[in-house]
Amino acid sequence: MAALIAENFRFLSLFFKSKDVMIFNGLVALGTVGSEELFSVVAFNCPCSPARNYIYGLAAIGVPALALFLIGVIWNNHTWNLVAECHKRGIRNFSAAATFLLFGSIMGRAAVAPVTWSVISLLRGEAYICALSEFVKPSSLDKFPADYGADVLSRFPCKDVPANLTKFRDEVTRRLRYESQLFGWLLIGIVAVLVFLTKCLKHCCSPLSYRQEAYWAQYRSNEDKLFRRTAEVHSRILAAKNVKHFFGFVALDKEEKELVQEFPVEGVQPSPQWNAITGVYIYRENKGFPLYSRLHKWAKGVEGNGPSPEGHEMLFLAS
């Protein structure tokens, strides 16, 4: 029971694991701001037609946000690690709370760009004004002519109105922009509070010291860089051997010839080894010694991903 409670609480450290993640989220947000500005200048064009304004305005906010969210899910390494984990081993090693928070980590990071898009759209106000102008009650406007209705109100975002309605158009635009920006600022406040609470929970529930967590982050980064670089060289040398076997020779440049001579490649790694180093990794210790990745665990010969009497395991997801 104690191990289960520790598992659920320590999984609260799923979010915002390092400064690198925060920097990446900031860059994503800045890129989204630039994209939204470009979209507003180039693409946004309110139809100014009853029943169409609402659909178009919501689509201008929601559809790009949905696309950015899906892109964020696709680009998150945790997504494909989770897919591999479910395909090869299932999620039997995770409790319901751990699984929920794992999905929360993926969704939370993927939400950076769509939330930024929505906030900027609301602060600008064009899409909100376009969507809701026709729903403004004429009775709420002082001395609004009784012979005008929703069809005229829907044209307010395009400024295509009779001269005697100009002051009403300005009032409606100002009122809707106020509402839109209010929702935008509220959304910023809510997100800021959630980020703050998540960071506090992360530091309170982390089983690692600050220095060890920083070391773990450096190890993961270095391992990933070296693995990718070595995999590229390995695959190139293996491809050169196979091409030479087929043609009898292989056309290599000077650098590639040096690689082939320096690093002899005899074959490929079997599938069980690839499966062992692929998937969701949870921080663990074996006999008091930390295991920082699936590759590290495989190199040490530690089997399985669940609790064992020989190893002390602390559920702390690698970012």
Side-chain angles (χ1 to χ4, degrees):
M1 178 62 69
L4 181 61
I5 295 174
E7 171 185 332
N8 294 337
F9 277 101
R10 284 166 178 160
F11 243 85
L12 292 173
S13 58
L14 281 165
F15 301 92
F16 305 104
K17 306 304 293 183
S18 67
K19 294 179 180 178
D20 291 340
V21 173
M22 299 299 292
I23 293 173
F24 176 77
N25 289 341
L27 293 176
V28 170
L30 289 176
T32 305
V33 171
S35 300
E36 204 282 335
E37 291 292 333
L38 180 63
F39 174 81
S40 298
V41 172
V42 177
F44 186 80
N45 188 14
C46 185
C48 293
S49 175
R52 295 180 180 178
N53 284 13
Y54 184 70
I55 297 175
Y56 184 82
L58 292 183
I61 299 175
V63 173
L66 176 61
L68 291 170
F69 177 77
L70 294 177
I71 292 173
V73 172
I74 292 172
W75 279 357
N76 193 325
N77 290 334
H78 279 329
T79 301
W80 307 115
N81 284 334
L82 180 61
V83 171
E85 187 76 22
C86 294
H87 178 66
K88 297 297 181 182
R89 290 173 284 268
I91 56 175
R92 59 185 179 276
N93 296 312
F94 301 143
S95 67
T99 304
F100 173 78
L101 289 173
L102 175 58
F103 277 104
S105 174
I106 296 173
M107 300 299 112
R109 294 188 187 180
V112 173
V115 167
T116 303
W117 178 278
S118 300
V119 166
I120 298 301
S121 296
L122 290 172
L123 292 180
R124 288 181 60 89
E126 283 87 350
Y128 188 90
I129 294 172
C130 176
L132 297 181
S133 62
E134 63 182 288
F135 297 104
V136 175
K137 294 182 179 180
S139 58
S140 66
L141 302 173
D142 186 31
K143 298 180 180 180
F144 187 81
D147 51 341
Y148 293 111
D151 56 336
V152 174
L153 291 171
S154 66
R155 298 203 302 269
F156 278 9
C158 297
K159 303 179 181 180
D160 181 21
V161 296
N164 62 324
L165 297 181
T166 300
K167 66 175 183 178
F168 297 107
R169 176 183 61 79
D170 293 340
E171 181 179 350
V172 169
T173 300
R174 182 169 57 253
R175 181 187 303 178
L176 294 178
R177 179 169 283 110
Y178 152 76
E179 294 177 0
S180 178
Q181 292 183 347
L182 177 62
F183 290 140
W185 290 120
L186 288 176
L187 182 57
I188 291 175
I190 292 172
V191 171
V193 171
L194 290 177
V195 171
F196 172 75
L197 293 177
T198 302
K199 290 289 289 183
C200 291
L201 287 173
K202 180 259 180 181
H203 286 289
C204 291
C205 300
S206 173
L208 304 179
S209 66
Y210 171 78
R211 291 187 180 277
Q212 187 178 10
E213 186 175 343
Y215 178 85
W216 186 26
Q218 292 174 346
Y219 173 86
R220 292 196 309 269
S221 177
N222 289 326
E223 182 189 81
D224 183 66
K225 292 176 183 177
L226 291 173
F227 188 91
R228 291 176 181 273
R229 191 186 310 163
T230 305
E232 180 183 359
V233 173
H234 187 281
S235 61
R236 187 183 306 179
I237 296 173
L238 181 63
K241 289 183 60 177
N242 293 334
V243 171
K244 182 178 181 180
H245 183 73
F246 184 81
F247 286 107
F249 74 96
V250 59
L252 300 174
D253 58 27
K254 182 178 179 181
E255 179 184 356
E256 290 171 335
K257 289 180 180 178
E258 294 176 353
L259 288 176
V260 171
Q261 294 175 357
E262 184 177 359
F263 304 110
V265 174
E266 301 299 332
V268 297
Q269 285 65 34
S271 293
Q273 289 187 9
W274 286 102
N275 294 337
I277 67 171
T278 303
V280 176
Y281 181 71
I282 299 172
Y283 175 81
R284 69 196 57 233
E285 293 181 0
N286 183 261
K287 298 180 179 179
F289 292 93
L291 300 173
Y292 289 122
S293 69
R294 279 195 172 275
L295 181 61
H296 190 191
K297 181 170 73 76
W298 172 84
K300 291 295 184 180
V302 180
E303 299 293 337
N305 194 43
S308 67
E310 299 179 355
H312 176 57
E313 301 182 350
M314 293 179 284
L315 299 203
F316 193 56
L317 187 71
S319 58

